[in-house]
């Protein structure tokens, strides 16, 4: 659960080790004076009966009740009405059974329970004989520098897992999900069913996992038994990657945190709640809007117009997503094109209406229609004018050039839709006759592909009549040459050497 505000610098000020009983003090924050004061002091240690062994197999149950008891015992406070709700015992979400006005602090998790990567790094380095640092250095060298904070949390999860009944975080670990649908849990067959963008995003997630596995060999605080246990390694990786809060402004994300209980909010495009950290590293959640009783309380895991990223990382389709990237992956990321709007979060097709964002229209005109080979000098001149008008905010000139080339732009977009829909159809065929028992992630993949397909069909149904009109009128469209060749490699998009492709970088999220 990412991208809520984390006041990174302040976490350093918080006391360092979790296992230090003295670090625990009763909680009494003025900001949360509405709470009943149930906080206890004492060592961070479970007192509830738990299985002696945390199972990590897909079908292992989540022990959420012990989590609740443990949280209450160690000072997690919430206002009346906030509770965890589940329909299937697998997926839990936070809801409220009481009306809550906007701006109410609804949840408080004391800093001592927060697993911040900065503090975890200190802790791990203090018990390691250099192995942790050697692994981290290597991770940096193999291109995983931005994953280092999460790597520390990953190691912490493994270390606590290995301690089993002696871990102070056992109730937290034992309440984690086991069954994941995200990229790292997908099989090779799953990958075959992914369209290019989400394929690339999923590979990117998998590469992070592979990097962790490569460097963990150097770590001296984890046993070889754990290092070779794929199931546990995946579980720890998924736990970290689907639950950590990061810096909102993204790029460097140099402090991230796992927060028991506060990591139970689900995602929505329209959120009810935001999470933040105070100067002492305590975590709080407050309402952004008036929330009526019996509603979900949700945060944002990432840009709602990037359902493919959310799918790759979290393993679910955000049906509330208003729009998605138009999947034009064959447009070079040149400075001109980027200035023109060549940025996935801006190049959108809208799901319900089939509307096309202005950036798509601008980029298609500039980078495709006016760029095709064999064009006259005159076209080159128009292209230059269009660019200048765009950069100078001269909307009238832009509109006039758009008007002139509208048939070609529409035809280009229609061709793109057709090519893309054809590739989706091919992917759909692959899954025919496959059993969902054998491929439990297939339904979510199909659901994702269907969402994309419906979006493209909507766009197509808007654009096609226009193109037919233009053609009947005898104008435009004479430029042929379909919507690019990005889709020529079905499973592909990530291995097409040479061709510059566009993709969502992690920093974008
Ligand atoms: C937990 O601690 C006890 C006592 O030190 C030890 O005997 C036991 O092996 C530990 N369990 C694990 C899983 O490390
Ligand atoms: C995804 O696409 C980008 C841009 O083409 C490429 O640099 C990156 O390596 C790809 N990622 C994977 C994991 O294939």
């Amino acid at each position: 659960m990412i991208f809520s505000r984390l006041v990174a610098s302040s976490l350093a000020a918080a006391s360092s080790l979790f296992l230090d009983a003295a670090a625990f003090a009763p909680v009494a924050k003025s900001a949360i004076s509405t709470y009943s004061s149930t906080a206890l002091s004492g060592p961070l240690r479970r007192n509830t009966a738990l299985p002696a062994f945390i199972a990590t197999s897909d079908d292992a149950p989540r022990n959420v009740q012990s989590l609740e008891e443990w949280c209450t015992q160690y000072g997690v406070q919430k206002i009346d009405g906030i509770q965890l709700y589940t329909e299937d015992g697998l997926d839990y979400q936070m809801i409220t059974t009481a009306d809550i006005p906007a701006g109410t602090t609804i949840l408080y998790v004391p800093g001592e329970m927060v697993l911040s990567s900065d503090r975890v790094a200190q802790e791990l380095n203090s018990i390691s004989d250099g192995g942790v640092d050697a692994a981290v250095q290597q991770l940096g060298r193999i291109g995983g520098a931005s994953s280092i904070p999460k790597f520390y949390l990953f190691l912490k999860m493994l270390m606590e897992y290995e301690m089993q009944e002696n871990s102070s975080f056992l109730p937290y670990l034992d309440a984690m999900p086991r069954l994941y649908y995200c990229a790292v849990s997908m099989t090779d067959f799953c990958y075959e069913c992914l369209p290019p963008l989400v394929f690339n995003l999923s590979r990117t997630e998998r590469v992070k996992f592979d990097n962790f596995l490569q460097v963990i060999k150097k770590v001296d605080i984890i046993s070889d038994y754990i290092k070779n246990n794929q199931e546990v390694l995946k579980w720890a990786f998924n736990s970290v990657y689907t639950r950590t809060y990061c810096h909102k402004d993204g790029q460097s994300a140099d402090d991230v945190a796992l927060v028991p209980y506060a990591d139970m909010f689900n995602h929505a495009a329209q959120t009810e709640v935001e999470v933040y950290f105070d100067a002492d590293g305590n975590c709080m959640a407050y309402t952004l809007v008036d929330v009526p009783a019996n509603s979900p309380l949700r945060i944002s895991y990432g840009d709602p117009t990037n359902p493919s990223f959310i799918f790759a990382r979290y393993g679910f389709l955000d049906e509330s997503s208003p729009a998605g990237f138009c999947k034009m992956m064959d447009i070079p990321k040149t400075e001109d094109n980027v200035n023109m709007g060549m940025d996935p979060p801006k190049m959108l097709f809208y799901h319900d209406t089939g509307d096309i964002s202005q950036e798509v229209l601008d980029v298609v005109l500039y980078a495709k229609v006016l760029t095709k080979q064999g064009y006259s000098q005159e076209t080159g001149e128009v292209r230059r004018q269009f660019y200048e008008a765009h950069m100078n905010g001269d909307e009238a000139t832009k509109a006039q050039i758009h008007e002139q080339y509208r048939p070609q732009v529409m035809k280009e977009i229609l061709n793109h839709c057709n090519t893309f829909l054809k590739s989706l159809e091919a992917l759909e065929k692959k899954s025919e006759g496959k059993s969902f028992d054998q491929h439990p992630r297939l339904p979510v993949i199909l659901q994702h592909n269907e969402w994309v397909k419906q979006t493209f069909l909507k766009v197509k149904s808007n654009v096609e009549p226009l193109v037919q009109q233009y053609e009947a009128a005898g104008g435009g469209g004479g430029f042929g040459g379909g919507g690019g060749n990005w889709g020529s490699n079905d499973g592909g998009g990530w291995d097409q050497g040479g061709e510059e492709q566009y993709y969502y970088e992690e920093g974008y999220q």
Side-chain angles (χ1 to χ4, degrees), residues 162-166:
E162 187 147 28
M163 283 195 252
Q164 291 287 333
E165 72 272 20
N166 299 328

Side-chain angles (χ1 to χ4, degrees), residues 4-78:
S4 283
R5 204 170 329 130
L6 179 73
V7 183
S9 56
S10 65
L11 282 173
S15 60
S16 61
L17 290 187
F18 313 107
L19 303 182
D20 177 2
F24 269 99
V27 176
K29 293 278 165 210
S30 54
I32 49 147
S33 51
T34 48
Y35 292 111
S36 58
S37 190
T38 53
L40 300 174
S41 59
L44 183 54
R45 194 156 266 289
R46 72 201 169 91
N47 71 343
T48 33
L50 277 171
F53 193 77
I54 306 168
T56 52
S57 59
D58 281 1
D59 57 356
R62 299 177 64 178
N63 195 344
V64 171
Q65 199 187 330
S66 293
L67 174 74
E68 300 245 30
E69 291 164 13
W70 178 75
C71 285
T72 307
Q73 189 187 356
Y74 290 104
V76 171
Q77 299 182 41
K78 49 188 175 153

Side-chain angles (χ1 to χ4, degrees), residues 69-335:
E69 291 164 13
W70 178 75
C71 285
T72 307
Q73 189 187 356
Y74 290 104
V76 171
Q77 299 182 41
K78 49 188 175 153
I79 61 168
D80 288 345
I82 307 295
Q83 62 181 61
L84 293 174
Y85 172 77
T86 183
E87 273 169 11
D88 56 8
L90 293 173
D91 186 27
Y92 283 81
Q93 59 167 318
M94 207 89 85
I95 62 158
T96 175
T97 56
D99 295 343
I100 310 176
T104 310
T105 299
I106 58 168
L107 176 69
Y108 171 87
V109 182
E112 291 85 353
M113 294 180 84
V114 172
L115 290 168
S116 113
S117 58
D118 282 357
R119 287 193 296 167
V120 165
Q122 280 179 27
E123 181 197 348
L124 300 186
N125 282 315
S126 73
I127 54 176
S128 160
D129 214 9
V132 168
D133 196 51
V136 164
Q137 299 297 329
Q138 193 191 1
L139 189 55
R141 282 196 302 275
I142 62 176
S146 64
S147 310
I148 289 171
K150 288 189 176 127
F151 182 66
Y152 285 123
L153 294 183
F154 170 72
L155 293 182
K156 174 75 172 165
M157 287 288 294
L158 294 174
M159 199 177 85
E160 296 294 328
Y161 173 82
E162 187 147 28
M163 283 195 252
Q164 291 287 333
E165 72 272 20
N166 299 328
S167 163
S168 308
F169 286 88
L170 184 65
Y172 180 47
L173 267 55
D174 202 33
M176 295 272 187
R178 313 313 206 266
L179 177 61
Y180 285 93
Y181 294 89
C182 54
V184 168
S185 296
M186 286 181 195
T187 62
D188 289 350
F189 174 71
C190 293
Y191 275 84
E192 282 177 33
C193 301
L194 300 176
L197 173 66
V198 71
F199 180 93
N200 178 294
L201 292 167
S202 301
R203 283 295 316 171
T204 304
E205 297 294 297
R206 181 72 72 96
V207 165
K208 290 182 187 134
F209 182 59
D210 291 345
N211 287 346
F212 281 15
L213 297 197
Q214 194 180 329
V215 306
I216 201 175
K217 297 183 189 117
K218 290 195 156 57
V219 172
D220 54 353
I221 55 169
I222 309 272
S223 74
D224 285 347
Y225 173 75
I226 299 287
K227 289 181 196 172
N228 291 313
N229 188 328
Q230 279 280 327
E231 185 183 287
V232 171
L233 295 167
K234 266 187 199 168
W235 168 80
F237 181 92
N238 283 334
S239 300
V240 171
Y241 268 84
T242 61
R243 308 184 86 75
T244 46
Y245 285 101
C246 306
H247 221 274
K248 195 159 202 165
D249 302 319
Q251 304 306 344
S252 69
D254 44 14
D255 194 10
V256 301
L258 280 168
V259 189
Y261 217 83
D263 61 3
M264 300 294 265
F265 292 109
N266 267 359
H267 163 90
Q270 297 281 333
T271 58
E272 291 85 19
V273 171
E274 191 165 276
V275 169
Y276 69 104
F277 293 76
D278 73 8
D280 297 322
N282 303 304
C283 177
M284 273 157 269
Y286 68 98
T287 45
L288 296 164
V289 290
D290 292 342
V291 188
N294 303 315
S295 309
L297 295 166
R298 295 166 303 187
I299 60 170
S300 173
Y301 294 2
D303 187 330
T305 62
N306 192 354
S308 295
F309 168 75
I310 290 181
F311 173 65
R313 171 151 307 172
Y314 299 96
F316 68 87
L317 177 75
D318 175 15
E319 295 267 12
S320 67
S321 183
F325 176 44
C326 67
K327 326 274 188 211
M328 289 184 189
M329 298 175 76
D330 60 337
I331 299 170
K333 195 180 172 178
T334 60
E335 193 186 330

Side-chain angles (χ1 to χ4, degrees), residues 426-505:
L427 294 178
E428 221 173 283
K429 284 229 168 69
K430 274 190 192 153
S431 61
E432 270 168 23
K434 300 285 179 190
S435 112
F436 289 176
D437 281 345
Q438 257 172 13
H439 303 284
R441 291 164 190 86
L442 194 52
V444 192
I445 292 171
L446 294 178
Q447 188 195 3
H448 168 273
N449 294 358
E450 183 63 25
W451 188 92
V452 174
K453 179 175 158 183
Q454 291 308 325
T455 308
F456 272 72
L457 284 172
K458 258 269 144 50
V459 174
K460 177 178 163 155
S461 72
N462 291 345
V463 169
E464 199 161 43
L466 293 176
V467 171
Q468 281 163 0
Q469 250 174 40
Y470 295 133
E471 282 178 352
F479 300 97
N485 59 357
W486 64 270
S488 55
N489 169 0
D490 257 358
W494 81 289
D495 202 13
Q496 302 176 10
E499 187 182 64
E500 265 200 272
Q501 293 184 341
Y502 214 96
Y503 71 116
Y504 295 99
E505 291 166 274

